[in-house]
Amino acid sequence: MEKAIANKDVVIIPKKKSIFFRLMNQWELQLMVIPAIIFIFIFSYIPMYGIIMAFKDYNIFKGIAESPWAGWKHFNMFFTAPEFSQVMRNTLVISFLKFFIGFPAPIILALMLNEVRHMFFKRVVQTVSYLPHFISWVIVAGFVGSLLSTDNGSLNIALEKVGAIDEPISFLSIPKYFWAILVTTNVWKEIGFGSIVYLAAIAGVDQQLYEAAALDGASRFKQIYLITIPSILPVILIFMILAIGNLLNAGFEDILLLGSNPVVRDVADVLDTYVYRRGIQHSLFSYATAVGLFKAIISVALLTMANLLSRRAGSSLW
């Protein structure tokens, strides 16, 4: 902040330090950031050269530079493709389900754990809830497949025992169950790990606020609503911005593994799996690049819009 120094009638405003001078004053911190910058530049920015493929008829033998230009051909092919509406519908529905169910789930878990006074029980719940995050989707998909199997699957056995069904149901082969299975599995896998950040934010709340509220007769629910949630709201907003920016990232590994049955493709095919099938399996590299670029542009637009809206609430990424 610039300071004005008044000397009688003369006001002297010191010159703002240059960026170079400020960087030199923080050289230790900048040195720590350099490896991350190099990593991002090599693996994120240099590969962006491949975006040119979206505007070319890429030939693997000629390479990117020598392949002929195609203009907007591949974008037009995608927008007019018969599966365009289906892929976009699945992407948006799955993304919104994951957002509206998966985003608040870690917040609710963190608020609940914060109210637990038995430390041993609290630590056990935390450990059990965030361990699934470190399990590969291949293992998770195998676990879900075994759980929902018609041959000695635990869920089918339980439903038959209570008389809810007469015969086993092949849940992963029925389209109407796929979205529920996918979202539930994602929430189970990520809820614990996502709650860690919110628990850390809650730990930084001034305890005197709770003591004052308790003296005023506020119940635990009122303390959560009036103190805890407003205190961690900046953290919630930042994660919401990132989540909105990833709305078109409906998923890849989870959908590819859980939706491997062709019977559920009509409800499981999203932009990422569509790019994989068209680009890798059918070798339509330029077409797949165009679809991926379309998704990236929409994601950046959503991220910018979410940041502008959250800035009005007093918290934003930039």
Side-chain angles (χ1 to χ4, degrees):
M1 181 183 296
E2 296 182 355
K3 297 181 179 179
I5 304 175
N7 184 12
K8 294 183 179 180
D9 298 330
V10 181
V11 178
I12 301 174
I13 300 178
K15 291 183 179 180
K16 194 174 183 179
K17 295 180 181 179
S18 66
I19 295 177
F20 176 77
F21 186 80
R22 282 181 287 168
L23 291 177
M24 290 304 297
N25 280 345
Q26 303 173 352
W27 69 269
E28 299 96 338
L29 299 176
Q30 304 302 329
L31 193 64
M32 294 173 62
V33 175
I34 287 176
I37 294 176
I38 295 174
F39 180 85
I40 293 174
F41 179 76
I42 293 175
F43 294 101
S44 297
Y45 282 91
I46 293 180
M48 288 178 69
Y49 169 72
I51 291 176
I52 300 175
M53 290 172 56
F55 304 95
K56 289 194 169 190
D57 282 325
Y58 176 71
N59 187 308
I60 192 171
F61 299 104
K62 294 181 179 180
I64 297 177
E66 300 298 327
S67 297
W69 289 95
W72 300 96
K73 169 186 171 182
H74 302 293
F75 292 93
N76 293 330
M77 288 175 59
F78 174 58
F79 295 144
T80 57
E83 59 269 24
F84 172 76
S85 58
Q86 176 181 294
V87 170
M88 289 303 299
R89 181 205 65 181
N90 295 339
T91 302
L92 292 174
V93 170
I94 292 174
S95 296
F96 276 105
L97 286 174
K98 286 184 176 181
F99 178 76
F100 287 111
I101 299 175
F103 179 75
I107 302 174
I108 296 172
L109 177 62
L111 293 173
M112 293 173 64
L113 287 175
N114 185 58
E115 299 302 315
V116 176
R117 295 293 174 259
H118 196 292
M119 293 306 299
F120 177 76
F121 177 75
K122 182 177 180 179
R123 289 170 183 170
V124 169
V125 173
Q126 282 184 270
T127 303
V128 172
S129 63
Y130 75 66
L131 277 179
H133 171 80
F134 302 99
I135 302 176
S136 167
W137 267 112
V138 176
I139 299 174
V140 172
F143 170 74
V144 173
S146 299
L147 180 68
L148 303 178
S149 173
T150 55
D151 185 17
N152 295 324
S154 301
L155 182 59
N156 276 306
I157 293 175
L159 292 175
E160 286 181 334
K161 291 292 185 181
V162 298
I165 58 175
D166 297 326
E167 58 183 14
I169 300 175
S170 180
F171 290 99
L172 290 175
S173 300
I174 302 176
K176 67 178 181 180
Y177 295 132
F178 180 76
W179 290 343
I181 295 170
L182 180 69
V183 174
T184 303
T185 306
N186 272 271
V187 171
W188 169 78
K189 190 175 186 300
E190 301 296 339
I191 185 173
F193 191 78
S195 66
I196 293 176
V197 177
Y198 298 109
L199 281 170
I202 293 172
V205 180
D206 189 354
Q207 295 300 311
Q208 293 182 356
L209 296 175
Y210 294 106
E211 295 173 2
L215 289 174
D216 289 339
S219 63
R220 296 303 302 178
F221 284 104
K222 281 191 175 181
Q223 291 178 32
I224 292 172
Y225 176 72
L226 297 175
I227 299 175
T228 309
I229 294 179
S231 298
I232 66 173
L233 188 59
V235 177
I236 294 175
L237 287 175
I238 288 184
F239 277 90
M240 183 180 291
I241 294 170
L242 297 174
I244 292 175
N246 287 319
L247 270 182
L248 290 186
N249 291 329
F252 176 68
E253 291 180 334
D254 51 345
I255 297 176
L256 189 67
L257 294 168
L258 293 175
S260 58
N261 194 328
V263 176
V264 298
R265 178 169 292 177
D266 289 344
V267 295
D269 201 16
V270 296
L271 282 171
D272 289 324
T273 56
Y274 182 71
V275 167
Y276 167 74
R277 286 194 298 105
R278 304 296 285 179
I280 303 300
Q281 295 182 347
H282 298 162
S283 300
L284 299 175
F285 302 111
S286 294
Y287 182 79
T289 304
V291 177
L293 180 58
F294 163 76
K295 172 192 161 187
I297 292 173
I298 299 299
S299 297
V300 171
L302 289 172
L303 179 64
T304 305
M305 180 185 68
N307 188 75
L308 291 174
L309 293 175
S310 65
R311 187 182 298 173
R312 298 182 179 181
S315 180
S316 62
L317 288 176
W318 70 87

